Amino acid sequence: MNLSFNIAEKGEGSYRLLAILRWVMVVIFVSFGMQKFTLQSAQGIVQFISNSPFVSWLLVFGLRGEAYVLGVVEFAIAALLAAGAFNPILSAIGALMGVITFAITWSFFFTTPGVVRWSLSTDPMAWNLAGEFIFKDIVLLCVCVVLLLASLPRSVVRVSAAESDPAR
């Protein structure tokens, strides 16, 4: 079984195009990380953090501290993804951290009161601006999943796919 990890930049054909996703995510994580060092961002994320079962523990760092911690984590993910262009294991670690980040962020859609109003009316799911802000993270989550799967050894991805599809 071949357990060598992969790097999109060294791939062939359409696989090589995944490198674009890596660099877009690096830019996104750097920009998100920079924002966390502003008072406006710290004030904006407190409603999500305080209601999250996953990251509410960050409140121990205070309003600015929780944002700083998240900013540093986002910078670290950007650095891992960038280094992943040269080291496939760092690529996989950065992508996995991105998956975790956006999975938690997307959970805010369900854990933050008032973000979504569910109803049986003509508009079955309505959200406010915070909900719209969070909803787009499903795309970023999917991009990180694609980068993670592309970084993993082909034999691992093939084995996982075969195990989940008994028809193979």
Side-chain angles (χ1 to χ4, degrees), residues 80-93:
L80 285 165
L81 288 172
F86 310 100
N87 183 311
I89 293 175
L90 295 179
S91 178
I93 292 169

Side-chain angles (χ1 to χ4, degrees), residues 75-145:
F75 284 145
I77 294 170
L80 285 165
L81 288 172
F86 310 100
N87 183 311
I89 293 175
L90 295 179
S91 178
I93 292 169
L96 177 61
M97 288 177 66
V99 167
I100 293 167
T101 296
F102 290 117
I104 290 172
T105 301
W106 211 72
S107 75
F108 298 161
F109 193 74
F110 303 99
T111 61
T112 306
V115 168
V116 179
R117 181 177 38 90
W118 306 94
S119 72
L120 298 175
S121 69
T122 57
D123 190 3
M125 181 174 73
W127 51 69
N128 59 24
L129 288 176
E132 290 177 5
F133 168 76
I134 295 168
F135 199 71
K136 58 130 177 66
D137 283 354
I138 194 72
V139 173
L140 299 176
L141 170 65
C142 291
V143 168
C144 288
V145 167

Side-chain angles (χ1 to χ4, degrees), residues 39 42-46 59 61-68:
L39 179 59
Q43 291 170 333
I45 63 174
V46 73
L59 294 171
F61 296 110
L63 178 69
R64 294 300 292 266
E66 65 194 26
Y68 293 164

